[in-house]
Amino acid sequence: MTAPLVTRVSKADGTTIAEAGRCLAAGGLIAFPTETVYGLGADATNGQAVARLYEAKGRPAFNPLIAHVIDLAAARALGRFSNDAARLAAAFWPGPLTLVLPRTAACPVSDLATAGLDSVAVRVPSHAVARAIIEAFGKPVVAPSANRSGHVSPTTAAHVLADLGGRIELIVDGGATPVGVESTIIACLDDEPMMLRPGGIAREAIERALAKRLTRPTAEAATAGDAPLAPGMLASHYAPRTPLRLDATGVDPGEALLAFGPKPAERHEQAARVLNLSPRGDLIEAAANLFSHLRALDSAGAETIAVMPIPHNGLGEAINDRLTRAAAPR
Ligand code: TXA
Ligand code: MG
């Protein structure tokens, strides 16, 4: 345990961005908005800064991090692109897509950040504040979601402060994050691209860009062994304290309700609290609201959070993935 820090929260203006760049260069930790969720950033090339980041998150050190860079040219310095990888980068960068690639020989990302794997996860974010910070710093920034390990990902500066206040130097406040779920992760390590995590870009869009179908590893393959394929896929990764009951068509006594769509659940009047992910049934709006609604219902003092069924198409795959993890026994 290190001594508590004073965590400052500052609006994302030019002064704050310059300060964020200096803080990263000095080995410090800053939280900043991306289009998906808030990230907790550190200098990707500085092993000590990365070690501090793991400590601040309370994250097991075998869980590797995503390196955030400004453009494709910077990404090529870190990882080797197959034809499929290049196609995906052209279609979706900047944006909520992470590519897992073989490390280049000269890749400067610290071994601690890649957990000793010979692959590296790379992403080019589209959020203006994230881009300005990466540009001000001038080197890759590793950034997991800016929550304590095991908590749901933060979509506002207030969420970050609640989880990491006293543990990091600076939170750059750029408002609520627009996408609301993490990036889609695609491994391009051979000629069969694999979806390691559903996220902000739907499977259908990726398959269209590749003109082929994606495989997704089984949960066992993804989390087994000494060097799991996607260690962050551990079943209970996203976890409110209140148990979740999925695919609920009605509310039981003592439950809060996470609703979806225009049709009310049976007995919704008796819910301790009701929040609707998207009253008009829009999956993009639902993704943007998912983590903040889970946090709010988690603090409603209910015995259980009943969750109405969410369709599986489009961003529904990522939403259902996060809800299944949040509901997993711990
Ligand atoms: O949207 C996002 O991706 C956010 C924002 C901040 O960019 N970041 C994020 O990072 O969600 P994190 O650390 O919470 O999740 C990263 C995931 C983990 O599941 C990790 O196991 C996986 O990426 N990962 C990282 N490097 C990997 C690698 N070389 N091979 C396989 N999986 C990897
Ligand atoms: Mg995370």
Side-chain angles (χ1 to χ4, degrees):
M1 221 11 248
T2 39
L5 299 168
V6 177
T7 301
R8 290 199 307 103
V9 184
S10 294
K11 285 271 168 256
D13 57 17
T15 314
T16 305
I17 286 178
E19 192 192 331
R22 283 194 301 274
C23 187
L24 287 170
L29 303 178
I30 59 148
F32 61 96
T34 79
E35 67 277 22
T36 57
V37 300
Y38 273 73
L40 175 58
D43 177 352
T45 67
N46 178 341
Q48 286 222 28
V50 175
R52 276 196 63 208
L53 188 156
Y54 282 121
E55 190 194 50
K57 256 193 87 87
R59 159 173 284 198
F62 51 72
N63 203 352
L65 305 172
I66 299 170
H68 296 66
V69 294
I70 196 71
D71 58 18
L72 178 60
R76 284 188 183 279
L78 309 186
R80 289 201 309 277
F81 282 71
S82 63
N83 289 338
D84 286 329
R87 217 169 268 144
L88 291 176
F92 300 111
W93 279 354
L97 172 74
T98 295
L99 294 175
V100 172
L101 306 168
R103 276 179 82 120
T104 60
C107 175
V109 174
S110 91
D111 284 330
L112 185 59
T114 54
L117 300 171
D118 47 20
S119 58
V120 61
V122 190
R123 158 161 137 73
V124 176
S126 62
H127 196 289
V129 174
R131 297 187 61 77
I133 290 171
I134 294 165
E135 216 153 27
F137 177 51
K139 287 199 279 181
V141 176
V142 279
S145 49
N147 51 282
R148 291 278 290 168
S149 191
H151 293 190
V152 296
S153 294
T155 56
T156 65
H159 295 162
V160 179
L161 187 64
D163 260 28
L164 296 176
R167 298 177 157 268
I168 65 178
E169 274 83 8
L170 176 66
I171 299 172
V172 182
D173 184 355
T177 57
V179 177
V181 290
E182 298 88 340
S183 59
T184 300
I185 305 182
I186 307 288
C188 294
L189 297 173
D190 51 29
D191 51 16
E192 200 185 336
M194 208 168 19
M195 181 181 273
L196 300 184
R197 178 176 76 182
I201 294 179
R203 169 190 297 273
E204 296 89 326
I206 289 176
E207 291 181 339
R208 232 177 290 125
L210 288 173
K212 64 173 145 185
R213 302 299 293 269
L214 284 171
T215 51
R216 191 181 173 188
T218 62
E220 299 78 65
T223 57
D226 292 338
L229 211 45
M233 289 175 67
L234 293 170
S236 68
H237 192 57
Y238 297 89
R241 282 166 213 83
T242 316
L244 261 61
R245 185 168 68 83
L246 302 185
D247 293 319
T249 52
V251 176
D252 292 338
E255 289 189 324
L257 176 67
L258 186 62
F260 176 82
K263 202 169 154 278
E266 288 160 38
R267 303 177 303 282
H268 63 97
E269 325 71 28
Q270 71 178 33
R273 184 158 179 210
V274 181
L275 287 174
N276 197 321
L277 288 170
S278 172
R280 60 193 158 96
D282 178 281
L283 288 166
I284 295 173
E285 180 182 39
N289 287 327
L290 178 66
F291 291 133
S292 58
H293 281 12
L294 274 178
R295 276 181 189 256
L297 292 180
D298 197 20
S299 56
E303 266 162 46
T304 311
I305 301 170
V307 183
M308 286 175 70
I310 315 284
H312 282 269
N313 61 298
L315 291 198
E317 184 177 8
I319 296 170
N320 281 301
D321 172 82
R322 304 306 186 271
L323 287 170
T324 306
R325 288 169 205 288
R330 260 156 277 138

